Amino acid sequence: MKYFLYILRSEIKETYYVGMSNNPDRRLHFHNTDDRKAHTSRFRPWKIVYTQAFGTKEEAFAAEQKVKSWKSKKTLRP
């Protein structure tokens, strides 16, 4: 099974969200529709701006942690 690093961009505010999933489209739907109070619920709607496939969950998680460790959001801008 493939796992993906994904980066979402808020369409109403210049903010990004980084995550990993085996189904980024399903996660995007969740981020845009979930009723719970969460970080992503405040900045809807979200759009996927980047995905990268990995062979294992561990590789995708390591990539997610690497991106999250970057100091500047400017690095994420396409």
Side-chain angles (χ1 to χ4, degrees), residues 7-37:
I7 299 175
L8 305 180
R9 182 179 182 278
S10 169
E11 293 189 343
I12 64 166
K13 186 175 180 188
E14 184 77 14
T15 191
Y16 295 87
Y17 179 86
V18 178
M20 54 132 324
S21 174
N22 62 353
N23 187 335
D25 292 326
R26 183 191 54 167
R27 289 296 295 156
L28 174 64
H29 178 74
F30 179 81
H31 286 302
N32 281 326
T33 61
D34 185 45
D35 289 337
R36 291 180 286 174
K37 298 284 183 192

Side-chain angles (χ1 to χ4, degrees), residues 2-5 50-56 59-60:
K2 286 186 182 178
Y3 286 85
F4 297 84
L5 164 72
Y50 181 81
T51 60
Q52 183 176 352
F54 293 90
T56 68
E59 291 172 327

Side-chain angles (χ1 to χ4, degrees), residues 29-72:
H29 178 74
F30 179 81
H31 286 302
N32 281 326
T33 61
D34 185 45
D35 289 337
R36 291 180 286 174
K37 298 284 183 192
H39 170 74
T40 57
S41 66
R42 295 180 296 183
F43 303 114
R44 291 178 184 155
W46 293 93
K47 178 181 172 184
I48 293 177
V49 294
Y50 181 81
T51 60
Q52 183 176 352
F54 293 90
T56 68
K57 186 177 185 177
E58 293 76 20
E59 291 172 327
F61 181 74
E64 175 190 7
Q65 295 306 303
K66 182 177 181 178
V67 171
K68 286 181 174 181
S69 75
W70 295 344
K71 299 289 183 198
S72 175

